[in-house]
């Protein structure tokens, strides 16, 4: 017989943002009967959001390939032979054109990604121009450029950058099996600089890299215990790209992915939980379960950074079928 999870027993007396999660509590959420987990996630979701509304972010790779980090999942690492062609940084006009097209398709946020360990000052000059130009279109802006110094974070904030994406990717314990060229603390330090500069934090991770349940729970615990937790939490399903060390990972049970979304929703009640990479390979039914589990944001548009994403027609058809709508459409 299953007993109620201890968190729900004491939820009324604990402010959600102040709750400090133990690994045992997060693991216990993962281990709830599926139906109970989804029910709890729905309750938390509905207390904070319109459950039929979804936020749409479009990604653009502004500098592709040749990255000096060795992230085992990433097709853009110079350590792997994924066939991704290295490209120079796009110019501002190309970025504005892509952002305008994304806006016309219904996206409200535009996220610029670069395959850098960290930007140089000259790189940052260009990104600052891009951020200003995208903002002028009336879109929210996000960038993911690798590690930042304090002054770089401040410059991005001053340029009007709304969100900075920097993922913890996995638990501290599993991190070293995936990436050797930087450590967990580097990631936490950048996130702190982003927070101190006054930007919204976007940070999440990848599921399906061979992590144990405890390690998956460890990722969620790390994110949920940040003070405050990120405003935006992308949960990526590993996209297995040929030529990367993780390309031969066994398939993840889709329900374990859905569980991760639900646990992120419960532990970070007010965050936008983004159903991120991996949707192209996912059935409509699994994506629907992710929405039921509390996902309320997606990457929208044919392309992620170097890999595919469902096209706009497929996404519109899915959202219509579910009676869901883009959150900025006045709902
Ligand atoms: N270079 C910067 C960095 O690592 O922070 C920004 C770009 S990097 C591609 C952004 C994120 O994409 C990574 O942190 C990772 O979570 C995600 N990512 C990269 N390759 C992926 C893959 N094959 N499957 C799922 N997510 C992936
Ligand atoms: C995030 O968490 N996922 C996005 C975005 N932030 C930058 C990137 C997914 C990349 C998937 C592999 C690729 O397309 O290269
Ligand atoms: Fe570089 Fe980012 Fe890819 Fe790692 S995830 S190899 S830092 S582009």
């Amino acid at each position: 017989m299953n007993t109620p999870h201890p968190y729900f027993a004491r939820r009324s007396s604990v402010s959600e943002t102040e709750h400090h999660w133990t690994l045992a509590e997060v693991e216990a959420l993962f281990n709830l009967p599926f139906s109970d987990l989804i029910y709890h996630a729905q309750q938390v979701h509905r207390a904070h959001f319109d459950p039929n509304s979804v936020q749409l972010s479009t990604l653009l790779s502004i500098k592709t390939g040749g990255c000096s980090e060795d992230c085992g999942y990433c097709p853009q690492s110079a350590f792997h032979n994924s066939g991704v062609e290295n490209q120079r940084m796009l110019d501002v006009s190309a970025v504005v054109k892509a952002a305008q097209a994304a806006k016309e398709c219904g996206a409200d946020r535009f996220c610029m990604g670069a395959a850098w360990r960290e930007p140089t000052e000259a790189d940052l000059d260009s990104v600052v121009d891009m951020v200003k130009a995208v903002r002028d279109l009336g879109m929210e802006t996000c960038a993911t450029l690798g590690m930042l110094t304090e002054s770089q974070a401040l410059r991005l904030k001053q340029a009007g950058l709304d969100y900075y994406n920097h993922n913890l990717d996995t638990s501290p314990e599993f991190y070293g099996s995936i990436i050797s060229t930087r450590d967990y603390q580097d990631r936490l330090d950048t996130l702190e600089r982003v927070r101190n500069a006054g930007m919204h934090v976007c940070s999440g991770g990848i599921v399906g890299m061979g992590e144990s349940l405890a390690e998956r729970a460890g990722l969620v615990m790390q994110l949920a215990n940040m003070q405050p937790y990120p405003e935006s939490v992308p949960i990526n399903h590993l996209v297995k790209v040929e030529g990367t060390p993780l390309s031969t990972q066994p398939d993840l049970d889709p329900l374990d992915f859905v569980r991760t979304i639900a646990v992120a929703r419960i532990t970070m009640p007010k965050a936008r939980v983004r159903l991120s990479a991996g949707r192209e390979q996912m059935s409509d039914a699994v994506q629907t379960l992710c929405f039921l589990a509390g996902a309320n944001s997606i990457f929208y548009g044919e392309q992620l950074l170097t890999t595919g994403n469902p096209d706009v027609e497929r996404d519109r058809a899915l959202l219509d079928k579910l009676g869901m709508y883009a959150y900025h459409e006045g709902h």
Side-chain angles (χ1 to χ4, degrees), residues 72-74 170 174 177-178 206-212 215-216 237-253:
Y73 47 77
C74 186
T170 191
F174 192 56
S177 331
I178 303 294
I206 309 181
V207 187
M209 298 194 292
E211 70 282 352
S212 65
E215 287 159 346
R216 203 170 293 153
H237 187 300
L238 174 69
V239 179
K240 294 182 224 174
V241 182
E242 222 181 294
T244 62
L246 293 183
S247 65
T248 54
Q249 265 305 308
D251 284 341
L252 182 73
D253 182 330

Side-chain angles (χ1 to χ4, degrees), residues 17 20 24 32 37 42 48 55 62 66 72 126 144-145 151 158-159 189 214 237 243 277 290 299-300 303 314 317:
T17 46
H20 184 87
L32 280 172
L37 176 61
Q42 274 278 308
H48 298 285
Q55 184 269 324
I62 58 166
S126 305
T144 181
L145 316 169
S151 69
Q158 276 155 15
D189 291 348
H237 187 300
C290 291
F299 285 123
Y300 180 67
Q303 178 96 348
R314 179 180 164 197

Side-chain angles (χ1 to χ4, degrees), residues 71-140:
C71 312
Y73 47 77
C74 186
Q76 303 200 69
S77 165
F79 289 80
H80 322 316
N81 294 312
S82 65
V84 166
E85 230 176 86
N86 298 349
Q87 281 168 17
R88 293 182 38 229
M89 194 174 358
L90 298 181
D91 59 31
V92 179
S93 63
V95 174
V96 170
K97 204 171 149 201
Q100 182 67 47
K103 187 181 175 187
E104 280 160 20
C105 282
D108 60 278
R109 193 178 303 164
F110 193 68
C111 180
M112 294 158 272
W116 291 321
R117 173 179 166 79
E118 64 228 319
T120 64
E121 293 310 312
D123 294 333
L124 212 72
D125 291 343
S126 305
V127 176
V128 160
D129 292 342
M130 292 171 190
V131 170
K132 288 181 177 162
V134 174
R135 266 207 124 206
D136 287 346
L137 298 176
M139 298 184 87
E140 279 192 317

